[in-house]
Amino acid sequence: MLTAAALALAGQSQPQPFASGPGCSGVSLTVKLDAGKSYAQKVGGLNFKISPDSGKGSCNGWAFTLEDADGNDFIYPVNMPLRFNPSQFLGCSYGLSAKEGLEMKRNMRFILNKRDYLRLDPLMRDALWPYSSPDPEHAAEK
């Protein structure tokens, strides 16, 4: 089962209250995909997408995102580590076999609105690429 701090691939498609606090909700989906196929479903005002991702060599799998209308991924910026994190990939990646990747337990957070995305995205970019920051000297402090 893939769990994303309020997003789970498992059974229901309607948001359910999430026990961890106000403003959180949960969604469960059951999805069966053939290799190379994709899937998309609206979840609230966001698009949950599963896209084929051909890994290196003969390894294929799927990457998933939760995107707003502009294509901004609301999962990636708030799940550490930002680099070398296989949590948004189903299949083999980051040194995991396909079996290990599919068995990996995932518990992830996601951003709930565009305002928070616009606040957090620059901080994520500064952390990943401080040399491109408007203030490279203080990017790590932020």
Side-chain angles (χ1 to χ4, degrees), residues 72-95:
N72 297 312
D73 183 4
F74 280 32
I75 297 173
Y76 183 74
V78 290
N79 289 282
M80 301 297 147
L82 292 173
R83 291 189 199 269
F84 310 114
N85 184 350
S87 63
Q88 280 184 265
F89 187 81
L90 297 173
C92 57
S93 64
Y94 302 99

Side-chain angles (χ1 to χ4, degrees), residues 34-97:
D34 292 325
K37 301 293 181 188
S38 61
Y39 173 85
Q41 180 174 332
K42 283 275 192 196
V43 176
L46 302 173
N47 295 309
F48 176 70
K49 295 181 179 180
I50 303 174
S51 306
D53 190 301
S54 58
K56 295 179 180 178
S58 62
C59 178
N60 293 315
W62 294 271
F64 62 94
T65 57
L66 185 63
E67 300 176 5
D68 67 3
D70 296 324
N72 297 312
D73 183 4
F74 280 32
I75 297 173
Y76 183 74
V78 290
N79 289 282
M80 301 297 147
L82 292 173
R83 291 189 199 269
F84 310 114
N85 184 350
S87 63
Q88 280 184 265
F89 187 81
L90 297 173
C92 57
S93 64
Y94 302 99
L96 299 174
S97 69

Side-chain angles (χ1 to χ4, degrees), residues 19-31:
S20 70
C24 292
S25 62
V27 175
S28 296
L29 306 167
T30 298
V31 178

